[in-house]
Amino acid sequence: MNQWKNFSKGFFKENAVFTLLLGMCPTLGVTSSAINGLGMGLATTFVLVMANLVISLIKDVIPEKVRIPAFIVVIATFVTIVEMLMQAYVPALYDSLGLFIPLIVVNCIVLGRAEAFASKNSVGASIVDGLGMGLGFAMALTLLGSVRELLGSGKLFDISIYPEDYGMLVFVLAPGAFIALGYMIAIIDKMKKA
Amino acid sequence: MNGCGFTTKNITINNMATIDSSLKNMLLTLLIITAISGTSLGFVYKMTKEPIAAAKAKKQQKAIKLVVAEFTNNPAEDVVELTSKEGFPIKIFPARKDNQLVGVAVETMTNKGFGGDVRLMVGFKPDGTIINYQVLEHKETPGLGTKMGLWFKTDKGNQSVLGKNPGTSKLTVSKDGGDVDAITAATISSRAFLDAVRIGYETFMDNKNKIEKGAAQ
């Protein structure tokens, strides 16, 4: 398969958030600011790439009946590694994402890619797939985080754009996440059809 | 095949499971996989143990520096660990200058927050006057309760608690007959904040002798 196509499908055609509507828990939970969205997206990307790499390597030696537990162990290992590394080297980001990092284990996208792609494709293609899917997820989370941060608290990446008092608080809260996501999906759908 | 609803349009060179799913194979594979992942986790844990402890200590140090006056000792070394009347663990970091107690940083908490526990580092002068505070941990609503980080430091109306003494002023929200303006639309978070301050103050006052004695040694 064309590697570029394999990479770019994660951004638009098969974007996890905007098209497949997967991984909604972290999507709605952490995107109250752009930087949180980006951090979560990059952490997921790391897990996706590493899990895809390992799973495509070991796919031939795993009996079919235990493949899901085997995949989950691999994924959980990388998530725990990310958690410890974050806690050690970017404690500020860990403080705001802490609760959601362990949840990457049960993120549908990671297991989904392992099962649907890495367990059937070569190592190279799996890494590219993980990178594309992960960065597409990171892009979606950053976009959603930017919109919510801008509308809700008048800031973008913590830089003040307009006074916070004029912000619509609802966008920082959970209902605002649904509203913002809904409109973004509608816009992207429209763009795809056009 | 998977509950995630993926459309697998990708090419499939299907070579899954060339190994038989016999009990022996399954057990062996899972055993090997978990052993490898356990080993690598242990390795990463060892590698990150020190940086994690350092990051935590640095955060604590920074909070202590912010909330008390200048000191010459190492408050983290002289820490006194206590339990408040409510049963919360309280840590008191005495700040001393030339062996004289100039203030204490009290790591205090309450479980009355809107989202659960609220942890603060509050700096008191020896007489109990609040010098400054820092919110260490909370799970309050973003945009409402989270404002406590700055609200009670802002000199506007009766918002600020800095320079007040919980022994002489009524540090409860005005709704409860106190002297402090609550955060707009976040009365519960405000009550929790003031509750944590009160718990810290009371625990410090109850054990003041013990802490001052430490200075003489």
Side-chain angles (χ1 to χ4, degrees):
Chain A
M1 184 187 331
N2 183 332
Q3 289 290 4
W4 170 246
K5 239 176 160 177
N6 189 7
F7 176 73
S8 64
K9 70 176 186 295
F11 287 86
F12 205 63
K13 211 174 111 231
E14 282 183 42
N15 186 291
V17 174
F18 294 136
T19 311
L20 303 174
L21 294 180
L22 290 178
M24 286 293 113
C25 168
T27 303
L28 299 171
V30 302
T31 54
S32 56
S33 74
I35 196 79
N36 280 3
L38 186 63
M40 183 68 184
L42 292 182
T44 312
T45 306
F46 173 81
V47 174
L48 256 169
V49 171
M50 296 311 283
N52 267 9
L53 163 71
V54 171
I55 287 164
S56 63
L57 277 175
I58 60 172
K59 63 177 187 283
D60 292 337
V61 292
I62 296 178
E64 199 182 345
K65 277 186 185 161
V66 291
R67 66 182 197 286
I68 299 287
F71 294 168
I72 284 290
V73 171
V74 172
I75 293 167
T77 307
F78 284 113
V79 170
T80 316
I81 288 175
V82 167
E83 193 181 3
M84 290 196 280
L85 289 177
M86 256 192 174
Q87 209 175 350
Y89 301 110
V90 271
L93 188 63
Y94 178 80
D95 280 345
S96 55
L97 292 182
L99 179 69
F100 289 94
I101 296 296
L103 287 177
I104 299 178
V105 177
V106 289
N107 191 326
C108 225
I109 302 163
V110 185
L111 183 62
R113 290 331 280 176
E115 167 78 9
F117 199 93
S119 66
K120 298 183 187 93
N121 287 286
S122 68
V123 177
S126 298
I127 293 176
V128 174
D129 174 78
L131 205 58
M133 277 310 213
L135 291 178
F137 186 61
M139 177 197 76
L141 256 55
T142 314
L143 262 177
L144 185 58
S146 307
V147 169
R148 288 180 62 192
E149 195 181 356
L150 187 64
L151 293 177
S153 50
K155 286 186 260 181
L156 199 57
F157 283 100
D158 257 347
I159 301 160
S160 193
I161 308 283
Y162 62 88
E164 198 178 343
D165 293 346
Y166 296 105
M168 284 172 280
L169 183 64
V170 67
F171 280 100
V172 179
L173 306 177
F178 283 99
I179 297 171
L181 181 63
Y183 276 107
M184 287 175 83
I185 291 172
I187 292 168
I188 283 179
D189 242 27
K190 185 88 187 163
M191 275 163 56
K192 249 189 274 176
K193 276 180 196 140
Chain B
M1 176 173 70
N2 65 72
C4 289
F6 264 98
T7 46
T8 320
K9 275 179 266 173
N10 315 309
I11 48 148
T12 48
I13 319 153
N14 205 335
N15 50 7
M16 272 270 304
T18 42
I19 282 194
D20 196 33
S21 290
S22 68
L23 184 65
K24 195 189 95 198
N25 279 347
M26 291 197 289
L27 277 177
L28 213 62
T29 328
L30 282 182
L31 189 73
I32 292 170
I33 288 179
T34 42
I36 291 175
S37 77
T39 319
S40 47
L41 279 183
F43 182 73
V44 177
Y45 173 76
K46 243 183 157 176
M47 202 179 81
T48 54
K49 201 174 159 191
E50 261 175 50
I52 290 176
K56 274 188 184 158
K58 206 175 145 196
K59 200 177 158 194
Q60 197 182 52
Q61 205 74 30
K62 231 171 116 187
I64 295 173
K65 257 199 192 120
L66 182 86
V67 300
V68 287
E70 268 182 41
F71 50 84
T72 50
N73 68 328
N74 180 357
E77 266 174 24
D78 301 342
V79 61
V80 183
E81 293 189 33
L82 300 161
T83 310
S84 77
K85 270 178 266 169
E86 293 80 3
F88 300 130
I90 307 287
K91 281 185 193 160
I92 299 186
F93 302 92
R96 299 196 178 97
K97 201 175 180 181
D98 308 326
N99 250 347
Q100 196 70 34
L101 191 73
V102 290
V104 289
V106 181
E107 195 184 319
T108 176
M109 66 166 292
T110 178
N111 58 3
K112 287 186 186 154
F114 195 65
D117 292 355
V118 174
R119 282 173 194 279
L120 310 173
M121 183 75 87
V122 190
F124 294 102
K125 284 185 187 162
D127 67 353
T129 310
I130 297 170
I131 305 169
N132 204 342
Y133 72 88
Q134 166 103 355
V135 179
L136 298 177
E137 198 187 320
H138 68 78
K139 299 184 191 75
E140 305 305 286
T141 319
L144 293 173
T146 48
K147 282 187 187 155
M148 68 167 71
L150 288 174
W151 182 274
F152 297 104
K153 285 181 194 180
T154 314
D155 194 18
K156 196 169 132 193
N158 286 324
Q159 273 178 228
S160 177
V161 297
L162 307 190
K164 287 186 181 164
N165 188 328
T168 52
S169 4
K170 273 172 102 181
L171 287 194
T172 48
V173 297
S174 36
K175 244 185 208 172
D176 301 341
D179 297 336
V180 184
D181 288 344
I183 304 168
T184 319
T187 311
I188 295 174
S189 300
S190 307
R191 278 190 188 129
F193 174 86
L194 294 170
D195 190 50
V197 171
R198 178 189 62 79
I199 290 170
Y201 171 79
E202 282 175 3
T203 315
F204 166 49
M205 281 304 163
D206 289 348
N207 297 281
K208 204 177 154 191
N209 282 339
K210 200 164 135 195
I211 291 154
E212 276 186 335
K213 229 186 269 165
Q217 283 166 3

